[in-house]
Each structure stands twice: as C-alpha cells, then as structure tokens.
Amino acid sequence: MAVSGFEGFEKRLELYFSGDDPAAGNGLRRLNFYTIEKILHTVQCTVVSAVGNDFFDSYVLSESSLFVYPTKIIIKTCGTTQLLKSLRPLVESAATVGLTLSGCRYTRGTFIFPGVQPFPHTSFKDEVFYLEENLPDNLVYRKAAVLGPRSAAGEKWHVFSACDDSCTLMEDDSYTVEICMTELDRVLAKKFFRRFDDRRTGDSVGKEMTDVTGIRDVNRKALICDYAFDPCGYSMNGLAGGRYSTVHVTPEDDFSYASFECVGSVYDDREEFLRLLQKVVKVFRPAKLSVATTCPTGNDFWKGTAKTMESLGMRLRSRAADEFPGAGTVVFQAFSSRRN
C-alpha cells in the first residue's frame, strides 16, 4: 500500500516462446506451482485463486492476474509490484521445458501515484532500459513509444515491444482491448466493499460481487474465477475457450480505479463487442476512462468505440495510434464524462 493510496493502474507483460515442439507436454503449462509461486514472490504478489481449461491456466493474484498458455504468458500486476523482475525468471523457467523467448510486449497507463513506484518502474525510461538490458539478443526488432496528448497532462499509454525474425505477437485474427477507468461512481463502487465483520471466504464473496454488480452479465458464456479482498477490492478472470477477460477494482473514493481487459477475434460481430464495452462502463460509471485496442495492422476493429462512449455520456479527449514490430497497431483513446 502506497502512502498516497493504492495504485490501481496495472503493468502488463506478455511473453511469447517457441521451441522444436512447443505443443508437446503443454509447454509452459508444465511449470509446477512452486516455480510459479517463486517467480511471483520476486514480483511481490501471490496466487489467491486459480482455474484452468483445455487451453490455458488462469490465476487471480493478490495484485491482478496471470495467464499461462503452452507458449505464451500474460502477467499484469498493480500496486507497487515490480513486474519486470519476473522477466528473467520466466525466461529461465521456460528454458527448462525447451522453450526460448521470441517476443515481448509491455504496456501500462499513467500511474496515479508515480512517485512511489520502485525501480524499474520509476519512469518509462527506466522500464525500457531494464527491458533492453534483460531481453535476449535474438529479439532484434524493438520499439518503445508513449501514446497520448503531447502536453504533460492527460492520460497516456506506454508501449514497448520486441520480437525476433519469426515471432508475431498479434495473431492475424485477434485483438486485445485494455480499458482503464478512474473516478468511479461512488454508489456503484460501494458494491466492491465487504460487509463489516464478514467471515466468508474471498471466493464466496467474490461470486456475490460478480452477480450483484452486473459483471456476470458482461460475458455469460465465460467460466469465471473471482475473488473479493478484505476490506475492499475485487478481481475476476473469465475463461471462454482460448480467450480470456479480466476485471480488477480498487473502489476507495480518493483513488478509485477499475480495469477490464479482453481478447477476441476481429472477425467477431463488432456490434456485439461494442455492446460488451457498454456493459463494462455501466458497471462502474467512471468520470474518466481510456481504451487501448491492439489489432493487426490495417484492421479498424477499434472504430465505433468513440460513438459508443458518447452514448454513455463520455467525450473523446484524445486519440493516438502507432505500429509496433510484430505486435500490430495500438490505438489509444481517452474519454471523460461531459460533466468534467
């Protein structure tokens, strides 16, 4: 817990691996729980709940989420965790199951309390330096950029990607959407506080929060693994085939924050995707939010987001886009309520 308040904005690291026969033995899913816990302790977080399916394993962490596929790992953590310190241990652990790193993508928003972040998260410059120093030499194509308004004020999106000659971080048919919301509606945020002297488990209270807040209605088809923290806060991972979605909430008044992330196919019904975004925003009614969409270059799946947000009383404040090696195009849009 930072002295100024809890930092809700997550740091997100996505790593891609390759090998002679990466599907054999489930690849990274062969890593035992002790190995995963040891890496998480380096980052300064722990597993609080877990579930898996035929495609990947999902972990709800004390600070956000971890997803382990046979040849891919996504880890995102909030607070003052040192996420990038997981890079080397993850690469070394992957080598024990015959896999080598072929691609990396790191993203985050603008911290609410940047002054309390420990190295290497003290600045984006420091983060990029740490990544450059710790990535293997075969990742020759690298790029770092900050998307957002040119002025110092305003929400920004920080992106670093790196890949080798063979790696494609963004599949031809997929997209990733990361939504960050602040200044949540106070009445709605109160639903993410536990009752006084509530002695139920975090799992049972989490299921209740999933239902009463409307989060379950966001994607009824997903297998949900949820957890409620004490005295407040909530995390959820949703599994639907090989795709995941995740929600994290810090509901305290002075620094309220919620995030929603999902992956999907650009060939899905775009109107259905936009309805999903509407459902997410209605759960929290934030005063400010940003939407970062990563798609294959040349795909305009992100279009329609601004119009959808306008129907919810949100006004587009800024838009920026950039292309990254092996990772497609990132479109970053920042919105605020019309009352601001």
Side-chain angles (χ1 to χ4, degrees):
M1 172 77 76
V3 294
S4 301
F6 187 81
E7 179 60 68
F9 273 93
E10 298 98 348
K11 316 155 182 101
R12 181 185 186 276
L13 182 65
E14 187 169 1
L15 301 176
Y16 289 75
F17 297 86
S18 59
D20 292 335
D21 188 9
N26 276 329
L28 295 166
R29 298 184 74 181
R30 294 167 55 194
L31 298 177
N32 60 48
F33 186 68
Y34 171 77
T35 298
I36 291 172
E37 268 198 322
K38 188 176 180 180
I39 295 171
L40 293 174
H41 288 161
T42 302
V43 175
Q44 298 175 328
C45 62
T46 59
V47 174
V48 297
S49 191
V51 70
N53 63 14
D54 292 339
F55 299 91
F56 65 101
D57 298 315
S58 155
Y59 300 88
V60 175
L61 307 180
S62 56
E63 279 82 15
S64 299
S65 294
L66 168 68
F67 303 96
V68 181
Y69 291 78
T71 59
K72 178 173 67 174
I73 284 179
I74 301 101
I75 178 171
K76 57 190 300 183
T77 62
C78 54
T80 54
T81 51
Q82 295 170 286
L83 173 66
L84 292 182
K85 288 192 175 181
S86 67
L87 176 58
R88 276 199 174 184
L90 285 171
V91 172
E92 292 167 358
S93 297
T96 66
V97 293
L99 297 174
T100 57
L101 188 68
S102 57
C104 165
R105 178 167 57 197
Y106 174 69
T107 59
R108 70 165 173 86
T110 300
F111 292 133
I112 301 173
F113 308 111
V116 299
Q117 289 294 319
F119 183 82
H121 300 288
T122 36
S123 69
F124 187 54
K125 181 178 179 181
D126 288 340
E127 291 170 324
V128 171
F129 176 80
Y130 189 90
L131 284 162
E132 295 276 15
E133 289 292 303
N134 287 278
L135 287 172
D137 293 337
N138 63 300
L139 273 62
V140 292
Y141 302 105
R142 305 182 181 189
K143 181 176 179 177
V146 180
L147 281 65
R150 293 185 179 181
S151 63
E155 296 297 322
K156 294 180 173 59
W157 195 244
H158 306 73
V159 185
F160 174 90
S161 73
C163 63
D164 63 14
D165 289 320
S166 63
C167 181
T168 300
L169 302 181
M170 177 55 58
E171 299 173 9
D172 290 340
D173 66 341
S174 67
Y175 68 81
T176 301
V177 173
E178 298 171 70
I179 304 177
C180 301
M181 297 166 277
T182 56
E183 300 179 33
L184 312 181
D185 179 277
R186 292 194 174 193
V187 174
L188 297 177
K190 291 299 181 187
K191 296 180 180 180
F192 295 97
F193 282 78
R194 296 181 65 152
R195 302 187 190 100
F196 176 73
D197 200 28
D198 189 342
R199 300 185 182 183
R200 292 175 296 167
T201 65
D203 296 286
S204 62
V205 181
K207 287 179 173 55
E208 180 182 275
M209 288 183 179
T210 299
D211 289 327
V212 302
T213 60
I215 288 175
R216 190 174 302 279
D217 292 329
V218 172
N219 185 358
R220 281 279 177 182
K221 298 178 182 179
L223 169 64
I224 290 179
C225 179
D226 36 23
Y227 193 87
F229 297 91
D230 190 14
C232 64
Y234 168 90
S235 288
M236 178 280 279
N237 292 339
L239 293 71
R243 311 291 188 181
Y244 72 84
S245 59
T246 184
V247 173
H248 302 286
V249 186
T250 300
E252 292 96 323
D253 286 344
D254 294 333
F255 42 90
S256 62
Y257 171 85
S259 67
F260 172 82
E261 177 186 332
C262 69
V263 295
S265 171
V266 295
Y267 300 118
D268 292 341
D269 183 347
R270 187 184 305 189
E271 292 303 314
E272 182 178 344
F273 164 72
L274 295 176
R275 285 194 295 271
L276 178 146
L277 295 186
Q278 285 184 316
K279 290 179 181 179
V280 171
V281 176
K282 287 179 179 179
V283 169
F284 302 103
R285 295 285 183 185
K288 296 180 180 179
L289 70 86
S290 64
V291 182
T293 307
T294 304
C295 290
T297 297
N299 190 284
D300 60 358
F301 193 78
W302 58 273
K303 287 187 175 179
T305 303
K307 186 176 180 180
T308 297
M309 293 304 169
E310 286 177 5
S311 70
L312 298 172
M314 307 296 292
R315 178 167 53 184
L316 179 66
R317 295 293 187 181
S318 65
R319 177 186 290 147
D322 205 346
E323 185 178 350
F324 294 85
T329 297
V330 178
V331 179
F332 176 69
Q333 302 177 87
F335 301 84
S336 63
S337 65
R338 295 191 180 277
R339 65 180 181 271
N340 282 6

